[in-house]
Amino acid sequence: MMQFRTVLSSLGRRWYMVLAGILVTGLLCLAIQMNAPDKYKSQASLVLMPSTQSVGDAGNPYLYLGGMGEALDILIRKLASQPVRERILGTFATAGYTAEPDRGTTGAIMVITATADNPEEAMAVLKAVMTEAPRSLNQMQEDLGVAASARISTMELLVDRQAIPEEKGRTQLVLIAGAGGMAITLIFSVLLDGLLVTRGRKRQTRKKTRDPESPAKLRAELPSTDSSDSVEEIHRVVPLPSGSS
């Protein structure tokens, strides 16, 4: 509690520094809000479907969606690998994508998110990833010698028709800049106050050292003595000879 009060006192004494820091932080946040590059994103969902061998000719594939979580994890790792990313993003300088499991369901569903500086590139990257996903899944099974009738496939669930602006990234930048600016303002104000207070105390100490008290002031502070009291004190200490008065 004492430290908190000390900080408040320091900020109160250096209120002008706090005000200046708030103004600078506000201008910085405004500049980021106005000048941060626009980002667009598009999303799609793919579900892994069981093989025709597992379902049978008259079976319902939706009843066999369980147990393919491992295959989904492997496919996601494949799409995140460096060779695949270079192949997909080779012609897109500022684009990117992510592939992750759908956390809102227990099925083997993959959510693909593509981002770019313009909506056309975002949609192009999304289409490229959706094309790569079934191709990579089929290639992995082919490398293992899995028969065509026993291979897992993919099916599109949801696909965005157009990319939408992504405000989350810009908002995060503004919040980070605001929090960082305020933290720097408070720390700098407290440190500056401590430095100035310490210098003031040292200056007062040096002033007292260079300006000693005057002799007249020192004599005025000494206890005054009466002359008759002094003579009487001497008579008590030194006895007078007989016959003297």
Side-chain angles (χ1 to χ4, degrees):
M1 181 62 69
M2 291 299 295
Q3 292 181 352
F4 182 71
R5 292 178 179 177
T6 302
V7 172
L8 289 181
S9 300
S10 299
L11 297 178
R13 286 190 295 267
R14 310 304 164 191
W15 60 269
Y16 50 89
M17 292 298 303
V18 177
L19 181 60
I22 292 175
L23 292 176
V24 172
T25 301
L27 292 176
L28 177 62
C29 293
L30 181 61
I32 293 176
Q33 179 68 27
M34 296 179 62
N35 299 321
D38 294 328
K39 283 287 185 180
Y40 294 85
K41 72 174 182 179
S42 56
Q43 287 186 324
S45 298
L46 297 178
V47 59
L48 268 59
M49 302 297 293
S51 64
T52 56
Q53 179 179 319
S54 301
V55 177
D57 296 335
N60 186 349
Y62 292 105
L63 299 177
Y64 298 87
L65 294 180
M68 290 190 294
E70 293 81 2
L72 178 64
D73 293 338
I74 295 174
L75 178 58
I76 289 175
R77 290 181 178 272
K78 178 70 174 179
L79 294 176
S81 62
Q82 189 66 23
V84 175
R85 295 187 68 86
E86 291 178 355
R87 184 164 61 249
I88 294 176
L89 302 176
T91 57
F92 305 104
T94 60
Y97 70 89
T98 59
E100 56 187 4
D102 189 350
R103 307 298 181 184
T105 180
T106 57
I109 301 177
M110 177 172 57
V111 179
I112 301 171
T113 304
T115 58
D117 290 343
N118 58 76
E120 293 78 14
E121 283 194 6
M123 292 301 299
V125 172
L126 180 65
K127 183 178 179 180
V129 179
M130 292 178 62
T131 302
E132 179 64 29
R135 193 197 72 81
S136 295
L137 180 61
N138 186 69
Q139 184 64 44
M140 289 187 299
Q141 295 177 94
E142 183 179 351
D143 294 341
L144 295 176
V146 180
S149 60
R151 293 180 185 178
I152 301 172
S153 60
T154 63
M155 183 182 70
E156 296 180 2
L157 286 182
L158 299 173
V159 182
D160 287 344
R161 295 184 177 181
Q162 61 182 5
I164 60 175
E166 186 180 26
E167 298 292 339
K168 183 179 179 181
R170 180 179 299 177
T171 302
Q172 289 178 344
L173 289 177
V174 172
L175 292 177
I176 292 174
M182 291 304 302
I184 294 175
T185 298
L186 297 179
I187 294 174
F188 182 76
S189 299
V190 172
L191 292 178
L192 178 63
D193 179 73
L195 180 62
L196 294 178
V197 169
T198 302
R199 285 185 176 179
R201 291 174 179 174
K202 290 182 178 179
R203 191 180 301 112
Q204 292 179 357
T205 302
R206 289 195 297 267
K207 184 178 180 181
K208 291 180 179 180
T209 303
R210 291 194 301 265
D211 187 21
E213 296 177 334
S214 60
K217 186 177 180 180
L218 291 176
R219 286 196 300 268
E221 293 180 353
L222 291 177
S224 59
T225 57
D226 187 70
S227 57
S228 59
D229 294 340
S230 301
V231 172
E232 184 177 351
E233 181 69 23
I234 294 174
H235 287 173
R236 285 200 300 266
V237 174
V238 182
L240 295 175
S242 59
S244 64
S245 57

